[in-house]
């Protein structure tokens, strides 16, 4: 994946663990974060032991080695269990640091969800201009070079000719340990989507597998498939950052009732030709 496991519906600390180069990051006056409000709601709905932490842009450099090790362990568990992969903590940590530090033109935004001192979910995105997209970093790694080139051409055409947008939010990873997946995923994505929207990134992008829960998550928040690779059932999905934020807020504000997910379920059913969802 990238977004592989979403909802059924993400040592002594060293201050510069991730060697990010300085870039023009987060220069706008930032809005008041919703993270404190979400933390209050988490404690109210799920318990005092839950906490959400967010890191935006250069704040990612403040993530110490303990945090990276804990994140790597969660990453390893999520994708080994759900996708049958074979990550180790070491290889997962390498993947995470490479993803977050490979280009100063790709702004990282990360949210981590804790239960007590354990990371149980994560979400991170990369904000970039479309000119910064590359087949090496942004297309599914399983594909041939030719398929990656095709995906890049279609992406750039869609951005230029269809929606006429220059900037993109690439949903790199969203994963939650399976025992918590049903209820906590919206908390992970809301602060990321809010900040992306405020910074003027209107278009969201992800790639995933048509048989994954992430595919239905994408449909649920209003993303549309724009290209099917056929290889390993992979596809590209694009959609509105504001639209997906609205869907996630609806779920949280309605306290995860069946009615709160009506919008998402209806979007899924429309695409899969299953008819109108019952409200």
């Amino acid at each position: 994946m990238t977004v592989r496991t979403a909802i059924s519906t993400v040592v002594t600390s060293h201050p510069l663990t991730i060697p990010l180069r300085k870039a023009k990051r987060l220069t706008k006056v930032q809005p008041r974060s919703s993270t404190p409000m979400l933390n209050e709601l988490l404690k109210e709905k799920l318990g005092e032991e839950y906490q959400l932490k967010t890191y935006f842009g250069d704040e990612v450099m403040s993530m110490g080695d303990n945090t990276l090790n804990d994140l790597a362990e969660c990453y390893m568990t999520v994708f080994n269990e759900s996708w049958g992969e074979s990550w180790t903590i070491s290889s997962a940590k390498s993947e995470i640091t490479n993803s977050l530090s490979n280009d100063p033109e790709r702004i990282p935004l990360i949210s981590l969800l804790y239960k007590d001192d354990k990371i149980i979910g994560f979400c991170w995105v990369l904000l970039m201009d479309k000119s910064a997209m590359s087949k090496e970093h942004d297309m599914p790694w399983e594909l041939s070079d030719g398929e990656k080139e095709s995906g890049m051409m279609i992406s750039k055409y869609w951005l230029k000719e269809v929606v006429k947008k220059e900037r993109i939010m690439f949903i790199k990873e969203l994963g939650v340990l399976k025992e918590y997946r049903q209820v906590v995923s919206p908390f992970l994505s809301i602060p990321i989507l809010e900040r992306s929207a405020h910074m003027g990134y209107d278009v969201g992008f992800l790639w995933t597998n048509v048989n994954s829960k992430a595919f239905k998550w994408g449909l649920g928040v209003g993303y549309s498939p724009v290209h099917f690779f056929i290889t390993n059932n992979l596809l590209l999905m694009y959609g509105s950052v504001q639209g997906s934020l609205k869907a996630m807020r609806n779920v949280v504000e309605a306290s995860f009732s069946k009615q709160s997910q009506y919008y998402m379920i209806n979007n899924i059913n429309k695409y899969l030709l299953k008819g109108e969802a019952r409200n």
Side-chain angles (χ1 to χ4, degrees):
M1 190 188 116
T2 197
V3 182
R4 289 175 284 192
T5 303
I7 55 174
S8 301
T9 30
V10 74
V11 179
T12 301
S13 296
H14 301 290
L16 292 176
T17 302
I18 301 176
L20 290 174
R21 289 173 284 170
K22 290 292 183 182
K24 296 180 180 178
R25 294 184 172 184
L26 308 183
T27 55
K28 289 186 177 183
V29 175
Q30 297 306 321
R32 184 175 180 180
S33 172
S34 67
T35 303
M37 178 274 291
L38 291 170
N39 273 321
E40 287 299 316
L41 195 56
L42 269 170
K43 295 180 189 306
E44 176 188 338
K45 300 296 182 184
L46 301 178
E48 291 289 330
E49 64 272 29
Y50 290 87
Q51 182 181 14
L52 181 68
K53 294 183 180 181
T54 54
Y55 302 84
F56 298 133
D58 288 330
E59 293 173 359
V60 171
M61 288 190 295
S62 71
M63 293 173 62
D65 210 44
N66 276 342
T67 301
L68 287 173
N69 286 333
D70 292 344
L71 174 56
E73 182 175 0
C74 183
Y75 185 102
M76 173 190 72
T77 302
V78 166
F79 295 130
N80 286 357
E81 286 182 349
S82 299
W83 283 62
E85 297 176 349
S86 54
W87 295 96
T88 63
I89 291 179
S90 177
S91 64
K93 185 176 179 180
S94 178
E95 173 71 12
I96 291 164
T97 54
N98 287 340
S99 172
L100 297 175
S101 62
N102 59 11
D103 192 329
E105 300 304 317
R106 301 156 72 87
I107 304 171
L109 310 182
I110 307 173
S111 62
L112 302 176
L113 188 61
Y114 288 79
K115 183 178 182 184
D116 295 318
D117 296 327
K118 179 181 180 180
I119 294 176
I120 62 170
F122 52 85
C123 176
W124 74 79
V125 306
L126 300 169
L127 305 181
M128 68 189 85
D129 290 342
K130 67 181 182 183
S131 60
M133 294 181 70
S134 70
K135 68 178 183 180
E136 293 80 13
H137 295 129
D138 305 319
M139 292 292 110
W141 59 268
E142 301 101 314
L143 301 177
S144 66
D145 281 347
E147 289 173 307
K148 291 178 182 179
E149 290 282 3
S150 175
M152 286 296 300
M153 289 177 58
I154 288 167
S155 293
K156 290 183 176 181
Y157 172 82
W158 191 86
L159 289 165
K160 180 180 179 181
E161 302 296 340
V162 179
V163 294
K164 298 177 173 56
K165 299 291 184 181
E166 296 293 323
R167 301 202 287 180
I168 187 169
M169 178 196 76
F170 176 29
I171 306 177
K172 178 65 176 173
E173 302 289 5
L174 172 58
V176 181
L177 296 178
K178 61 183 180 182
E179 58 264 42
Y180 306 103
R181 204 167 293 158
Q182 181 69 35
V183 293
V184 302
S185 296
F187 288 96
L188 283 163
S189 54
I190 285 175
I192 299 293
L193 295 169
E194 283 180 338
R195 184 61 64 95
S196 300
H198 177 80
M199 294 175 66
Y201 290 82
D202 301 322
V203 177
F205 155 66
L206 63 89
W207 63 260
T208 191
N209 182 301
V210 296
N211 297 316
S212 70
K213 292 182 174 66
F215 174 52
K216 290 188 176 179
W217 179 88
L219 293 176
V221 299
Y223 281 35
S224 298
V226 299
H227 184 56
F228 292 87
F229 292 106
I230 309 302
T231 300
N232 293 341
N233 296 312
L234 295 166
L235 75 157
L236 303 180
M237 302 183 78
Y238 282 86
S240 165
V241 172
Q242 288 283 6
S244 52
L245 175 58
K246 177 182 177 181
M248 292 293 92
R249 281 175 171 165
N250 284 343
V251 172
V252 169
E253 289 170 2
S255 301
F256 303 100
S257 66
K258 184 176 180 181
Q259 288 73 23
S260 74
Q261 300 184 36
Y262 171 79
Y263 175 82
M264 295 183 66
I265 294 170
N266 203 44
N267 282 343
I268 295 169
N269 287 351
K270 282 192 296 185
Y271 185 83
L272 298 178
L273 305 180
K274 292 186 177 180
E276 190 84 2
R278 292 184 178 182
N279 196 342

